[in-house]
Amino acid sequence: MNMNTHTGIGFRKDFAEELINSEVLRPSFIELAPENWIGMGGYWKKQLDKAAEKFPITAHGLSLSIGSPEELDITFIKQVKKFIKQYNIQVYSEHLSYSKCDNAHLYDLLPIPFRMDAVNHIIQRIKTVQDILEIPLVIENVSYYTPVAAEMNESEFISEIIKGSGCKMLLDVNNVYVNAFNHQYNAKDFIRELPLEQVAYMHMAGHEKVSDSLIIDTHGQAIIDPVFELFEFAVSLLNPVPVLLERDFNIPEMQVLQNELSRMDLIIAKSWKSKKLHA
């Protein structure tokens, strides 16, 4: 991935045209959900092609449902493969969660039980996906609001899956912060326990505090200082990788988004200035 800096932004229809033509917002790459663009024609296909001419693209899926008990959608995975080849996409990430059950799409990212039978189930599914795509899948640690029938902790669960499948990891720093706050554990200890040598991509985002004991991962607010501080800690432990700013709602002025990208670039420069980007 040929980039001037390490930071990119999610490509959203809400500000797609503004981003393509902006001289203010200067991401090094953009990220999109392939299922939102596969088969698209007309105006939005033209906008996507314009964006692809200006920026490298990474893909972050929503529908793979890697933790579901039912069969993988092989037709969909082949469509994704065709799409990522068409736009020369080098990073395809997905959530370590599930969103389909009993032939119903639940339109949410639901937590998988932290259990060894689930680990083995997901390892086989990831291997199938990787065999079709012919690139490593990059799996994201997700936010969750209650554990389900857990027999191990989350870091052990993630590590076993990555070790057994050979996939890469997307480290979402805001999700670590949200889970650590809601479930009362140490966020830095959690990051140290992860297979950091397998991290190939990072996410940063804002969240909403709804009570003294609960925060919700929303992607609709500015990133708060403690999440930037946790990001700086994580960056100090990692090799250089692309870092994505997620902003899905309450879209601010382009300058505000650029300010967040610039703040991440300043943090990155302290640790990654002389290191080669891994993507």
Side-chain angles (χ1 to χ4, degrees):
M1 186 175 293
N2 183 19
M3 306 188 310
N4 295 325
T5 65
H6 297 81
T7 52
I9 196 162
F11 187 58
R12 306 288 180 257
K13 291 180 179 177
D14 289 346
F15 61 101
E17 186 171 351
E18 193 173 4
L19 169 60
I20 292 169
N21 299 314
S22 178
E23 298 296 328
V24 177
L25 183 58
R26 304 180 303 280
S28 279
F29 68 96
I30 57 173
E31 180 200 87
L32 52 77
E35 47 269 78
N36 290 341
W37 298 91
I38 288 172
M40 187 76 70
Y43 172 81
W44 284 113
K45 174 67 164 57
K46 292 178 181 177
Q47 293 299 100
L48 174 57
D49 288 345
K50 285 182 182 178
E53 290 179 3
K54 188 171 182 179
F55 305 105
I57 297 175
T58 62
H60 186 53
L62 301 167
S63 306
L64 187 59
S65 195
I66 201 68
S68 288
E70 59 197 40
E71 296 294 322
L72 286 165
D73 186 342
I74 302 299
T75 299
F76 168 70
I77 298 169
K78 290 180 177 178
Q79 290 174 333
V80 170
K81 180 179 183 179
K82 182 178 179 181
F83 183 83
I84 63 178
K85 284 185 175 295
Q86 179 181 358
Y87 288 99
N88 191 29
I89 293 170
Q90 299 177 34
V91 176
Y92 173 57
S93 60
E94 254 286 359
H95 304 84
L96 188 51
S97 63
Y98 75 100
S99 56
K100 298 177 186 174
C101 187
D102 294 335
N103 203 32
H105 199 304
L106 305 173
Y107 297 102
D108 209 341
L109 301 173
L110 301 173
I112 304 167
F114 301 151
R115 298 163 50 107
M116 204 61 210
D117 54 353
V119 166
N120 293 329
H121 175 66
I122 292 167
I123 285 174
Q124 294 308 312
R125 290 165 67 86
I126 290 176
K127 287 182 175 179
T128 299
V129 173
Q130 293 180 148
D131 286 345
I132 295 172
L133 296 181
E134 299 181 292
I135 59 173
L137 185 61
V138 184
I139 286 293
E140 176 186 357
N141 60 296
V142 299
S143 56
Y144 62 97
Y145 302 96
T146 182
V148 181
E151 294 179 349
M152 61 179 73
N153 64 41
E154 184 186 3
S155 60
E156 292 171 334
F157 180 70
I158 294 171
S159 298
E160 290 289 342
I161 289 171
I162 291 175
K163 178 182 176 183
S165 69
C167 73
K168 301 292 185 180
M169 182 174 180
L170 191 173
L171 176 58
D172 188 311
V173 177
N174 182 60
N175 286 350
V176 173
Y177 183 88
V178 167
N179 290 342
F181 181 92
N182 290 337
H183 304 299
Q184 296 295 296
Y185 60 75
N186 186 291
K188 292 182 178 179
D189 287 346
F190 176 84
I191 290 174
R192 288 191 191 95
E193 293 166 0
L194 295 171
L196 298 179
E197 71 281 0
Q198 294 300 105
V199 173
Y201 197 49
M202 296 179 77
H203 274 179
M204 283 281 283
H207 59 257
E208 181 177 0
K209 186 175 183 179
V210 297
S211 76
D212 290 339
S213 60
L214 179 65
I215 56 178
I216 303 293
D217 175 32
T218 61
H219 303 177
Q221 284 75 30
I223 302 169
I224 64 172
D225 287 346
V227 176
F228 274 115
E229 292 164 7
L230 187 61
F231 174 69
E232 184 167 6
F233 171 78
V235 165
S236 72
L237 301 178
L238 296 171
N239 287 317
V241 296
V243 180
L244 192 281
L245 171 62
E246 294 184 297
R247 188 64 182 256
D248 298 337
F249 306 100
N250 302 323
I251 306 299
E253 297 292 329
M254 296 294 99
Q255 186 61 60
V256 175
L257 296 176
Q258 181 56 48
N259 291 345
E260 289 194 314
L261 292 180
S262 297
R263 184 168 176 181
M264 289 193 289
D265 281 326
L266 286 174
I267 292 171
I268 287 168
K270 296 178 183 176
S271 294
W272 293 352
K273 186 176 181 180
S274 61
K275 295 182 179 179
K276 183 180 178 182
L277 177 69
H278 292 240

